Amino acid sequence: MVRPHGTLVYNGEIYNFRAVRADLEALGVRFATDSDSEVLLEALNQWWVDALPRLNGMFAFAYLDHRSDRLLLGRDQFGIKPLFVAEQKGLIVAGSEIKQAFSFDGIEPRINEAAASAFLFDSALNRDEGTLFDGVKHLLGGHYAIYDRRADTFVVTRWYDLQDRVRAINPSYPEARERIGELMRDSVRLRHASDVPIGSCLSGGIDSSVICSLSGTIVDDPSTFSVFTTYHESAAFDERYYSRQVVEKFGFRSIEILPDLGELFSPGVMSHLAWYQDQPFLSGSHFNEYIIFKAAHERGVTVILDGQGSDEYFGGYGEFWFAAQIEALRSFDIARFSQGISARAVATSRSTGQILRLFASTVLSRGKAAEPAWIADGRRRQGGAAIPPHSGTNFVDLAVNEMTSSSLPYQLHSEDRNSMRWSIEARLPMLDHRLVEYALSIPTAYKVGAGYQKRVLRDATPELPTEIATRRAKMGFVSADSEYILHNGPAMRTFVEAAATRLSGRVDAKLVIEEFDAIIAGGRRYHDGIFRLLSLVAWADAFKISL
């Protein structure tokens, strides 16, 4: 979009654009369209970088100020929409996908050795500004960059810091529950604004069930609201019992999809996915995600709601349970600690004694787990060391780390690539910054307490079917990678051996095959490192990179 004062290239949605527009109109700005793009354009003209904190949405943009000859690159609070920057030989290229940069002379796909090792041996992706490609960086979520063409300077600045936005408050539990409900409903309502068909992912877990349940109170005709669920034939990877309760309560149009893992492991398919991802991926769960958006595309659904982000601040992961128990012990709240132990036993189908021993051993070992010999050997051969786990046991510190580095950025990257591959706009109600900031500001016991994780989110959504609201086990959009590999041992052994041989400069192929044979024989548990071997080779093939 072009105006006399500037040019905007923009990807995303500003959900509160009408409120921002009203502020601009009060200053005398006149609009020619009813779009959020023009509101963003005029906001940047009026307030420059100070426009960013006014925005509630998902966005990545480039704005060229014609008067000052400065280029402003900006990204939303959490980095929902991607933005990459490549600098080489006086050329700066910014885009939504890394491969865009390779169409420019002088910018070639070259492997970032440190990033490749971090992925292969420590599951690390999207942890910082680096990428798998040398010379290409992320502009991180909550950051902007200014290129001044006259001064020939390029400066990156953080404009949003989640840690600084968290202010410990102590409302009563009913007050917190009511406020979470208000924020959640408003977030879903804002993200329902659409002039094209809209639907949602539905795993049967808390997050997607909350979104769908609230959507059921918003849409005029629930039978036109499509919800998409993946499942596997193994009961351990099938949540349809729960997802169907949401469907039946509201009368949604349900699409259930059985992913074919044989397709994922067939020649060329992994490379196909890696090409769209611009990087390798950690497990087959991202194939599930790919299949979901493909199904939405085939059924004419253009906007999909999804639950990304909730686990990382409402405390859905196991590490948040540990943090909550440690916090209870430090405050000498033995009743709360005991309740947490008992709830974890129920959620994992173990005894309280087993959970106590697990808790103690985890605390004493600082979360370190036994790992395959080829991974330790690979780190040694690469001259590197393991990326240390986040050591903080404070709930808020852990959440901020997962929101900004160790978890969410990778999930957002995958979601954006899989959805945009099929021309689907994925909207994430759980990542309304108002909701995130408030949830992290209230006491930990409101999030992990009274026997539940995500406690206040459950209680703030009475629309949830009872069995989901009281459910303790967690699954999500998981994939039956381990079962498929175990059931197809000989064929997968050939696949793994070929990958290990290709990576022989990084891993001891003999150790890899020995471990894989032990897994197939039942003498060792499956480890996701096997999948990473295959995925890294698939990525290299997609971009014709030598390993």
Side-chain angles (χ1 to χ4, degrees):
M1 182 173 280
V2 181
R3 294 291 182 267
H5 57 75
T7 297
L8 175 72
V9 179
Y10 156 58
N11 176 29
E13 296 282 353
I14 308 299
Y15 300 116
N16 67 332
F17 78 98
R18 296 197 185 281
V20 177
R21 174 177 176 142
D23 292 340
L24 290 166
E25 288 176 329
L27 296 173
V29 178
R30 295 294 173 259
F31 290 87
T33 74
D34 192 35
S35 70
D36 63 335
S37 300
E38 189 177 15
V39 170
L40 176 59
L41 180 68
E42 294 298 344
L44 294 172
N45 176 53
Q46 185 71 38
W47 299 304
W48 192 234
V49 297
D50 291 334
L52 297 175
R54 297 171 178 262
L55 307 177
N56 181 350
M58 55 178 187
F59 53 84
F61 67 81
Y63 173 71
L64 179 62
D65 187 307
H66 297 163
R67 297 157 301 188
S68 65
D69 215 15
R70 291 181 298 171
L71 177 69
L72 173 63
L73 305 175
R75 201 169 176 204
D76 63 68
Q77 287 92 337
F78 304 118
I80 299 171
K81 282 299 175 184
L83 188 54
F84 297 91
V85 179
E87 297 180 72
Q88 192 166 328
K89 298 178 181 178
L91 175 67
I92 293 177
V93 177
S96 297
E97 298 186 43
I98 294 175
K99 66 179 69 67
Q100 292 171 303
F102 302 144
S103 63
F104 290 83
D105 290 340
I107 302 182
E108 302 291 339
R110 299 190 308 272
I111 193 169
N112 179 335
E113 293 291 349
S117 293
F119 167 75
L120 191 57
F121 303 125
D122 293 295
S123 307
L125 275 176
N126 310 106
R127 298 283 178 90
D128 52 30
E129 65 178 11
T131 72
L132 266 289
F133 294 98
D134 186 43
V136 183
K137 297 180 179 179
H138 300 272
L139 180 66
L140 297 176
H143 286 65
Y144 66 78
I146 298 175
Y147 174 60
D148 187 321
R149 289 208 295 183
R150 296 173 185 173
D152 193 25
T153 57
F154 186 81
V155 180
V156 177
T157 304
R158 169 182 277 179
W159 69 268
Y160 180 83
D161 188 337
L162 178 58
Q163 189 86 54
D164 289 346
R165 300 289 298 181
V166 176
R167 296 286 184 270
I169 57 176
N170 193 28
S172 68
Y173 185 74
E175 289 172 334
R177 181 187 61 210
E178 181 178 359
R179 183 58 178 154
I180 290 292
E182 290 172 350
L183 291 169
M184 192 69 238
R185 284 169 176 77
D186 192 52
S187 179
V188 174
R189 178 188 61 80
L190 286 172
R191 286 156 182 81
H192 261 268
S194 175
D195 55 5
V196 296
I198 184 170
S200 182
C201 295
L202 177 60
S203 70
I206 295 296
D207 307 329
S208 61
S209 295
V210 164
I211 292 170
C212 289
S213 294
L214 294 179
S215 295
T217 68
I218 294 172
V219 296
D220 294 329
D221 182 0
S223 68
T224 66
F225 188 77
S226 299
V227 295
F228 297 85
T229 302
T230 58
Y231 69 96
H232 292 273
E233 292 173 340
S234 168
F237 300 92
D238 186 355
E239 286 194 297
R240 286 176 295 169
Y241 172 77
Y242 295 100
S243 64
R244 285 174 177 174
Q245 292 187 46
V246 178
V247 170
E248 291 167 6
K249 179 173 182 177
F250 295 98
F252 294 136
R253 177 193 182 205
S254 176
I255 296 94
E256 297 177 342
I257 307 154
L258 175 63
D260 179 3
L261 285 177
E263 179 184 354
L264 172 62
F265 291 113
S266 61
V269 174
M270 260 197 187
S271 291
H272 174 84
L273 267 66
W275 168 258
Y276 283 102
Q277 288 285 327
D278 277 333
Q279 63 183 29
F281 45 102
L282 293 169
S283 75
S285 65
H286 300 287
F287 180 62
N288 287 9
E289 190 178 63
Y290 177 91
I291 293 298
I292 283 274
F293 291 119
K294 180 176 184 285
H297 174 80
E298 290 171 347
R299 287 161 178 80
V301 180
T302 307
V303 173
I304 289 287
L305 305 182
D306 204 356
Q308 297 284 20
S310 174
D311 283 320
E312 284 80 3
Y313 68 91
F314 272 119
Y317 297 136
E319 55 263 35
F320 287 104
W321 177 84
F322 278 98
Q325 304 324 301
I326 291 172
E327 185 176 307
L329 286 176
R330 286 174 174 169
S331 61
F332 300 102
D333 191 341
I334 302 304
R336 181 180 155 202
F337 175 77
S338 299
Q339 190 177 48
I341 294 293
S342 297
R344 190 70 175 175
V346 172
T348 58
S349 301
R350 298 181 182 182
S351 69
T352 54
Q354 287 175 312
I355 296 299
L356 277 169
R357 288 192 293 273
L358 175 64
F359 176 78
S361 64
T362 301
V363 172
L364 292 173
S365 67
R366 296 183 179 181
K368 294 179 181 178
E371 61 187 15
W374 69 264
I375 288 183
D377 176 75
R379 289 200 198 103
R380 178 186 61 76
R381 297 174 71 182
Q382 295 296 312
I387 295 177
H390 183 65
S391 58
T393 52
N394 175 278
F395 189 102
V396 171
D397 290 346
L398 180 60
V400 170
N401 178 69
E402 298 220 352
M403 290 287 291
T404 59
S405 178
S406 64
S407 177
L408 186 62
Y410 170 71
Q411 306 299 337
L412 294 178
H413 177 101
S414 175
E415 172 120 17
D416 179 82
R417 292 317 169 80
N418 279 328
S419 61
M420 294 306 295
R421 160 65 181 88
W422 297 106
S423 301
I424 301 292
E425 181 175 287
R427 298 180 181 177
L428 310 178
M430 295 294 182
L431 289 181
D432 188 304
H433 69 93
R434 301 169 301 165
L435 176 65
V436 176
E437 292 160 12
Y438 183 80
L440 282 179
S441 296
I442 60 179
T444 296
Y446 292 2
K447 290 161 286 197
V448 180
Y452 290 98
Q453 293 179 244
K454 304 182 187 176
R455 173 192 176 193
V456 70
L457 179 61
R458 301 167 187 258
D459 290 347
T461 317
E463 295 87 349
L464 277 175
T466 301
E467 283 199 69
I468 295 177
T470 58
R471 181 186 181 192
R472 287 191 172 96
K474 176 180 176 57
M475 189 180 298
F477 278 114
V478 294
S479 176
D481 302 345
S482 57
E483 287 198 1
Y484 181 87
I485 288 172
L486 289 172
H487 292 162
N488 295 274
M492 291 304 301
R493 188 186 194 280
T494 301
F495 205 4
V496 171
E497 186 173 18
T501 301
R502 287 275 301 280
L503 292 166
S504 58
R506 304 169 190 275
V507 303
D508 186 324
K510 184 173 180 290
L511 280 178
V512 171
I513 297 303
E514 286 176 355
E515 180 192 75
F516 189 76
D517 286 342
I519 291 171
I520 298 303
R524 187 170 297 177
R525 293 183 62 184
Y526 172 79
H527 183 272
D528 286 340
I530 296 295
F531 192 97
R532 296 198 300 274
L533 286 166
L534 306 177
S535 186
L536 184 61
V537 168
W539 168 79
D541 288 343
F543 289 92
K544 298 180 173 56
I545 289 176
S546 173
L547 293 171

